[in-house]
Amino acid sequence: MITTIKPASDVLHVFSHIKKTYRPQWVVVHGGESPPPLKDSVKSHQPNDALWVRLEDVPGVNMGTGVAKVWKTVEKLWR
């Protein structure tokens, strides 16, 4: 069950000549013994290694620079 949805601040990421603005949202999901399944649309557009990760394991996950910037922004919402 989704208990909280909160917009985080915009994250600007520039790669070469490409300028992107990410607009992440912080979503809190409660309930169940295991993570919710990935939607079929996510499975069909992402590599086979798309998965849920525990909060404490995120720093060791391989992610791109843009996604890492987004994570650093939304991580602060837990503190």
Side-chain angles (χ1 to χ4, degrees):
M1 172 191 308
I2 295 174
T3 59
T4 306
I5 299 176
K6 185 177 184 181
S9 60
D10 288 357
V11 177
L12 178 63
H13 178 62
V14 179
F15 177 75
S16 183
H17 64 284
I18 301 168
K19 181 179 176 182
K20 286 183 149 185
T21 301
Y22 293 96
R23 292 189 170 89
Q25 293 193 4
W26 183 62
V27 178
V28 178
V29 180
H30 285 264
E33 293 294 318
S34 60
L38 293 172
K39 294 173 90 176
D40 288 337
S41 61
V42 172
K43 289 179 186 175
S44 64
H45 296 295
Q46 296 294 323
N48 291 334
D49 57 356
L51 54 95
W52 289 94
V53 178
R54 294 180 315 169
L55 180 63
E56 59 269 16
D57 294 335
V58 172
V61 172
N62 183 14
M63 65 179 95
T65 306
V67 174
K69 286 181 180 181
V70 170
W71 172 249
K72 287 178 183 176
T73 299
V74 298
E75 178 186 26
K76 296 171 190 170
L77 295 172
W78 271 281
R79 311 230 186 269

